[in-house]
Amino acid sequence: MKFTAFGRAHAARTVMLAGVASAALIMPTTVMAQDEEPEEAELAASGNLIIVTASKREQTLQDTPIAVSVTTGETLERAQIRDLIDLQTVSPSLRVSQLQNAASTTFIIRGFGNGANNFGIEPSVGVFIDNVFRSRSAGQIADLANVSRIEVLNGPQSTLFGKNASAGVISVITREPQFEFGGSVSATYGNFDQIVVKGDVTGPLTDSLAFAVDANYNKRDGYATVVNLDEKINDRDRYGVRGQLLFDNGGAVRVRAIADYNKIDEVCCNVGNVRFGPTAPAIFGVLGQIGNEDALTDRSFLNRLPTNEIESYGGSIQGDLEFGALTLTSITAYRELSNLSDQDVDFTSADIVNELRDQKVETFTQEFRLTSDFDGPLNFLLGGFYFDESVAQNSTLTTGADSRLFFDLLAGGGVPGTLAGVEPLLGIPVGATFSAGPLTAEQFTLDNTSWSVFGTVDFEVTDWLTLTGGFNYTDDKKDFTLAQQSFDELSNVSLVDRFIFLATGGTVTTAAQFAALPAPTQGFLSAVATTQCPANISPAPPTCNPLLALMPLQFQPPFLNLPNSVEPGQTRDDDFSYTLRASAELTDQINAYFTYATGFKASSVNLSRDSRPSASDFTPALLSNGAPSGSVILAPASPIRDAGLILPNLSTGSRFAGPEEATVYEIGVKASFPGLAVNLALFDQTIDGFQSFAFTGTGFALANAGSQSTRGFELDATISPIPALVFTFATTYLDANYDSFTGSAVGDLSGTRPAGIPEWTIATSATYTHELGSSGNNLIGRVDYYHESSTQILDGLPDFIDRTQADPFASARAAAADFRRETSEVNASLTLALDMGLELSAYVRNLTDNRHLTTIFPGVAQSQTVSGYPNQPRTYGGTVRFKF
């Protein structure tokens, strides 16, 4: 069969079937399901049927008792939405952000989501493309190809999906091969010399075998300038190809095979300076340049252009076997992903620190589902899911030609020569500290296997009331290895232990030798060695350790590899999640449902240089101000010290974060009347153990929040005063709160609002279709508006921790309070659609050129410097499309 686009005369009734938060239904067309029954085809032809598979069954959107928004392929075309990053502008409960490279993209639903730029952290929002789980955002962000529709499911979905759906699901459904020859080709030209070419063709090979092939190419110049290099950044250079085969002879067996390949090779991403820190004079001292707190001007400074290469490819086979009222489905998939990034991470023109990251992921998944379609009151779905994945990451930090002078100026308060003066005292060869060359090298691996059994049972109590129960049991195992070589000589020296060594004439180098000293001597040495000297007092008084002034430069200390005799390098999780739901057809026009559901996401691993032993495994010796001292000699008893594993400057943190467990109460109403549809969902959603992570400058701090909750509502309305005109309005209100989070990187956040979650999000649109006489030619105009209310961007900035204060973390939280984001974006398009298949379109995205920071982060090796990522400027262009 072929996909049918419904005409404008039926648009009003079509969009009335929108589900809760279906802000995307702003188009005058929709897409029918495969193999519809005659009755369904008749409904579809009258515009009264939108089929979705949000519940793993084909249902009308109005009959689906789940908060789900749907965006059709035509809306993606009209709005020039080419990837999942732009999808948020038509789905207000979804938020998407891209960080330092194309592979670092985070999806957030109802304020919950994580995992973008740390491959050990699995996302809370599961992304499925044609029922195949894509575990990493680098494999999710390629340009969307030949999409039928995208379903965004809000809230936990673990009883319907076997993997990682504690916050929600994005399900992309592409068009299947057809048994009628057809296809399309399009070409787009836009500002920044953007060229986008897409094509697809489908048709029969035999009476029972159909094929489809599609390809896309997207190239654009960068819109930001690296001033000192006179080069552009934030370009587009990506392409993808995909082939499909469909076997369907009208019998009991149906098989669909898909193979795809996607490549991204881009210069990404633009970083602007938001705040100068006290290190800025040292940047200028090495003749470097840095942005003048002008992040939104699309001007940056780098010592070299970044590279970002992503390859994602794989295949899947879905087989469906019908026997009577039962259908058995098998989905087998294998995918490989590689991500290579090489960039200047100090984001200045000085050659200070560069990072190379080479990541590879291999994933195998297998899903089985048995679905019933009985005429009686009882129907069920029973499924099983198996997941096997391996992750390998090799990365390095390299100090550049300007590194030693830069850090020497920091150590000497702007006067060079300090490092050369202290190196002999520290036992370091003169000139070795921060010399050009390797700073660190890391080798991380992660092997993850999990399996789950899930299912739902629907019982029709009456012809208007249905009760649903669902469950998911998941067993998850992760085994990981973390190794790092730290080459910086300064970071390998404990400044406390070196002071004790010098104070005792070189006679004390171990904890045993220190313990042999008289108790008063031990007390005196310990007190002096762990006390920082007052600033701006020279010479330093004899009651403090002047070497401690070098501690800020020890940002890459020795790394305790694992597994080791104390830390096994593994997690073992299992969980039983469930869903209870009552749905009612109150009238022919009004449906309602109530849901209580739980969700689960297994432990995540900190594949980062900031991976540190937990406080239960290691207790560091402290300075007089309460900060870790890095001492081996003074370290108190702990499993790691007692096992002989302690290293200089070892501190505590986390190797992994435990599981997330989600619960949600939700009540929804879906109402459809002539010319008007109103849908509402009220929810109270909590995730216990939310896996929070924060960028610290060169790595990530990973921790479980005790509890994070979001209460709110999702409202959408569709008004069609005449068949040709459709207005939509959708809004999401989120009242988010850290119910308990005492162990964050910036102190106790309990009782505060999590950063990055806007209180209000609005997506609204107007679509008008004007028929040109009775020719069948249409002129289609569309305007949409997207708004996020002002919200704080980060919970805090760890660089601003002040150990001299009663609450040392208060300053870190206060430093972030002034950095806020507010988004207002207008998009528009005008399309001339001719009856013979030719379309001419003009479009503009971000019409008003509204600029804001998507996120901010601490500067690398630049204390209290803040950098940020600006959003994309206005883009516009035209498209020629021919459908045949």
Side-chain angles (χ1 to χ4, degrees):
M1 51 82 63
K2 66 178 180 180
F3 287 86
T4 303
F6 307 142
R8 74 191 193 290
H10 307 298
R13 179 59 180 163
T14 297
V15 295
M16 287 177 199
L17 298 175
V20 175
S22 56
L25 292 179
I26 53 181
M27 75 305 290
T29 62
T30 187
V31 175
M32 292 197 309
Q34 297 292 312
D35 301 325
E36 64 266 63
E37 298 297 326
E39 181 180 349
E40 290 182 346
E42 182 179 347
L43 286 170
S46 65
N48 290 336
L49 184 67
I50 298 175
I51 295 294
V52 297
T53 53
S55 61
K56 294 293 183 77
R57 301 170 181 271
E58 291 187 349
Q59 292 180 293
T60 65
L61 192 53
Q62 184 164 0
D63 289 338
T64 302
I66 297 173
V68 53
S69 66
V70 179
T71 307
T72 68
E74 183 164 355
T75 296
L76 300 175
E77 292 177 357
R78 296 278 185 263
Q80 292 291 322
I81 294 174
R82 296 195 177 93
D83 54 36
L84 293 179
I85 296 175
D86 287 334
L87 185 65
Q88 63 185 327
T89 59
V90 292
S91 184
S93 288
L94 172 68
R95 187 174 184 278
V96 188
S97 64
Q98 188 175 74
L99 304 180
Q100 77 265 29
N101 53 54
S104 301
T105 302
T106 300
F107 300 99
I108 300 168
I109 293 179
R110 290 180 176 173
F112 298 104
N114 53 23
N117 46 358
N118 186 324
F119 268 31
I121 302 176
E122 297 182 4
S124 300
V125 175
V127 175
F128 293 77
I129 300 180
D130 289 323
N131 294 311
V132 174
F133 178 58
R134 300 288 183 95
S135 63
R136 299 293 182 273
S137 62
Q140 303 162 356
I141 61 169
D143 282 8
L144 300 168
N146 213 14
V147 173
S148 172
R149 66 186 182 276
I150 300 176
E151 302 173 5
V152 178
L153 287 66
N154 304 330
Q157 306 295 332
S158 296
T159 63
L160 294 171
F161 295 84
K163 186 71 173 173
N164 286 7
S166 61
V169 163
I170 301 171
S171 179
V172 180
I173 298 94
T174 65
R175 294 185 177 96
E176 293 185 342
Q178 305 299 301
F179 284 93
E180 292 183 14
F181 182 77
S184 69
V185 61
S186 68
T188 298
Y189 182 78
N191 60 331
F192 306 113
D193 281 334
Q194 181 166 38
I195 297 174
V196 180
V197 179
K198 292 184 177 183
D200 64 271
V201 61
T202 184
L205 295 174
T206 69
D207 289 342
S208 58
L209 187 66
F211 80 97
V213 177
D214 60 72
N216 63 86
Y217 172 76
N218 186 348
K219 189 172 180 63
R220 184 197 70 198
D221 293 341
Y223 59 76
T225 301
V226 182
V227 177
N228 59 296
L229 300 179
D230 193 24
E231 296 278 2
K232 294 295 184 179
I233 193 172
N234 274 41
D235 66 349
R236 277 286 184 268
D237 190 356
R238 55 182 64 181
Y239 68 89
V241 294
R242 186 178 58 149
Q244 300 185 72
L245 290 174
L246 176 65
F247 172 81
D248 187 356
N249 63 0
V253 177
R254 194 170 188 274
V255 180
R256 182 188 185 189
I258 305 173
D260 68 271
Y261 176 86
N262 289 279
K263 176 70 180 289
I264 296 175
D265 186 0
E266 296 175 349
V267 182
C268 183
C269 294
N270 178 44
V271 173
N273 176 257
V274 179
R275 182 188 189 277
F276 280 135
T279 60
I283 296 291
F284 304 141
V286 298
L287 303 182
Q289 297 170 282
I290 187 172
N292 187 24
E293 299 185 350
D294 54 355
L296 299 182
T297 63
D298 293 329
R299 289 162 45 91
S300 62
F301 296 87
L302 300 169
N303 71 74
R304 65 193 203 191
L305 289 178
T307 61
N308 188 200
E309 299 178 8
I310 301 173
E311 280 188 300
S312 175
Y313 53 90
S316 65
I317 298 177
Q318 176 171 335
D320 298 287
L321 173 63
E322 293 185 6
F323 45 99
L326 300 177
T327 300
L328 178 64
T329 298
S330 170
I331 305 171
T332 306
Y334 175 79
R335 300 202 60 81
E336 291 192 11
L337 169 68
S338 64
N339 175 49
L340 177 67
S341 63
D342 188 1
Q343 63 186 137
D344 170 7
V345 292
D346 57 80
F347 304 111
T348 73
S349 67
D351 187 8
I352 300 174
V353 182
N354 303 288
E355 181 186 43
L356 173 69
R357 190 181 299 182
D358 187 2
Q359 299 165 310
K360 290 181 170 48
V361 183
E362 298 179 2
T363 309
F364 172 80
T365 59
Q366 174 65 56
E367 181 175 347
F368 292 104
R369 293 199 306 264
L370 182 65
T371 308
S372 71
D373 187 18
F374 300 131
D375 291 333
L378 191 69
N379 275 287
F380 70 89
L381 177 152
L382 181 64
F385 182 81
Y386 176 75
F387 177 86
D388 188 350
E389 182 173 81
S390 63
V391 178
Q393 174 177 318
N394 294 301
S395 53
T396 61
L397 286 177
T398 304
T399 45
D402 297 323
S403 180
R404 178 173 173 86
L405 179 56
F406 170 73
F407 288 109
D408 197 18
L409 292 173
L410 291 183
V415 179
T418 298
L419 292 180
V422 300
E423 282 170 330
L425 291 176
L426 301 178
I428 298 173
V430 174
T433 304
F434 294 117
S435 58
L439 182 63
T440 69
E442 298 84 33
Q443 305 84 39
F444 302 147
T445 68
L446 170 63
D447 294 310
N448 180 200
T449 59
S450 70
W451 60 269
S452 62
V453 179
F454 59 94
T456 61
V457 176
D458 296 323
F459 178 65
E460 295 181 8
V461 180
T462 69
D463 59 356
W464 61 271
L465 177 64
T466 300
L467 301 180
T468 299
F471 77 97
N472 178 304
Y473 176 78
T474 295
D475 183 276
D476 185 276
K477 298 179 181 179
K478 291 185 175 71
D479 295 279
F480 52 96
T481 66
L482 307 177
Q484 176 179 308
Q485 299 79 49
S486 300
F487 302 109
D488 175 45
E489 291 83 359
L490 177 60
S491 293
N492 278 273
V493 175
S494 166
L495 300 174
V496 170
D497 292 353
R498 191 65 184 179
F499 179 90
I500 293 174
F501 171 83
L502 295 172
T504 58
T507 61
V508 175
T509 60
T510 67
Q513 292 170 341
F514 185 79
L517 297 174
T521 303
Q522 291 183 45
F524 175 77
L525 286 175
S526 177
V528 176
T530 58
T531 299
Q532 292 179 301
C533 296
N536 302 320
I537 296 180
S538 181
T543 55
C544 64
N545 179 357
L547 298 179
L548 296 180
L550 297 173
M551 285 192 77
L553 305 185
Q554 296 182 306
F555 60 92
Q556 285 303 313
F559 186 93
L560 179 59
N561 297 344
L562 81 158
N564 54 56
S565 59
V566 174
E567 302 171 292
Q570 63 182 29
T571 65
R572 299 292 185 264
D573 302 316
D574 66 287
D575 178 80
F576 182 84
S577 302
Y578 59 94
T579 296
L580 301 174
R581 179 181 295 118
S583 55
E585 184 178 352
L586 302 180
T587 71
D588 290 342
Q589 293 80 31
I590 301 175
N591 291 349
Y593 66 89
F594 172 79
T595 299
Y596 173 78
T598 65
F600 171 76
K601 188 182 85 168
S603 298
S604 287
V605 179
N606 193 4
L607 298 184
S608 159
R609 300 178 186 92
D610 273 0
S611 174
R612 300 283 184 264
S614 68
S616 61
D617 290 329
F618 178 63
T619 305
L622 302 179
L623 297 177
S624 59
N625 64 8
S629 70
S631 174
V632 173
I633 291 175
L634 301 181
S638 68
I640 283 177
R641 193 211 70 168
D642 297 344
L645 299 174
I646 188 172
L647 297 170
N649 299 319
L650 185 64
S651 60
T652 58
S654 67
R655 301 294 199 178
F656 61 89
E660 293 182 354
E661 296 185 352
T663 59
V664 63
Y665 298 86
E666 183 174 316
I667 184 169
V669 178
K670 303 182 178 185
S672 176
F673 306 97
L676 174 67
V678 179
N679 306 298
L680 175 68
L682 308 175
F683 59 87
D684 185 343
Q685 186 170 333
T686 301
I687 293 186
D688 292 326
F690 179 73
Q691 295 168 2
S692 172
F693 75 107
F695 183 63
T696 59
T698 56
F700 298 89
L702 175 64
N704 288 105
S707 179
Q708 179 179 333
S709 64
T710 302
R711 299 166 182 84
F713 66 84
E714 296 156 335
L715 170 69
D716 75 78
T718 303
I719 303 172
S720 184
I722 58 175
L725 180 61
V726 178
F727 297 102
T728 70
F729 175 82
T731 186
T732 297
Y733 170 78
L734 301 176
D735 179 12
N737 187 61
Y738 283 125
D739 302 312
S740 173
F741 192 7
T742 59
S744 86
V746 290
D748 188 357
L749 294 173
S750 302
T752 64
R753 182 183 182 88
I757 304 175
E759 187 175 18
W760 290 95
T761 304
I762 298 171
T764 185
S765 73
T767 302
Y768 180 73
T769 303
H770 177 69
E771 186 172 4
L772 303 175
S774 57
S775 62
N777 302 328
N778 295 313
L779 187 64
I780 306 167
R782 166 196 167 87
V783 178
D784 65 72
Y785 172 72
Y786 176 80
H787 174 75
E788 291 180 5
S789 61
S790 177
T791 183
Q792 185 172 318
I793 298 177
L794 281 188
D795 291 321
L797 290 161
D799 276 5
F800 288 81
I801 293 173
D802 185 355
R803 297 285 180 182
T804 66
Q805 301 300 313
D807 180 1
F809 299 102
S811 55
R813 296 190 294 271
D818 292 334
F819 297 108
R820 303 185 66 83
R821 176 187 66 242
E822 183 171 3
T823 303
S824 293
E825 184 173 318
V826 178
N827 308 302
S829 68
L830 183 64
T831 300
L832 174 63
L834 303 181
D835 185 56
M836 45 81 71
L838 181 65
E839 293 185 0
L840 304 175
S841 299
Y843 70 89
V844 59
R845 293 191 63 82
N846 194 6
L847 174 65
T848 60
D849 201 28
N850 178 267
R851 306 306 303 276
H852 60 270
L853 294 173
T854 60
T855 192
I856 60 173
F857 61 94
V860 175
Q862 300 171 73
S863 178
Q864 298 186 7
T865 290
V866 180
S867 302
Y869 300 103
N871 72 318
Q872 186 168 282
R874 176 173 49 238
T875 57
Y876 52 87
T879 298
V880 178
R881 181 180 297 108
F882 181 68
K883 297 180 179 180
F884 56 91

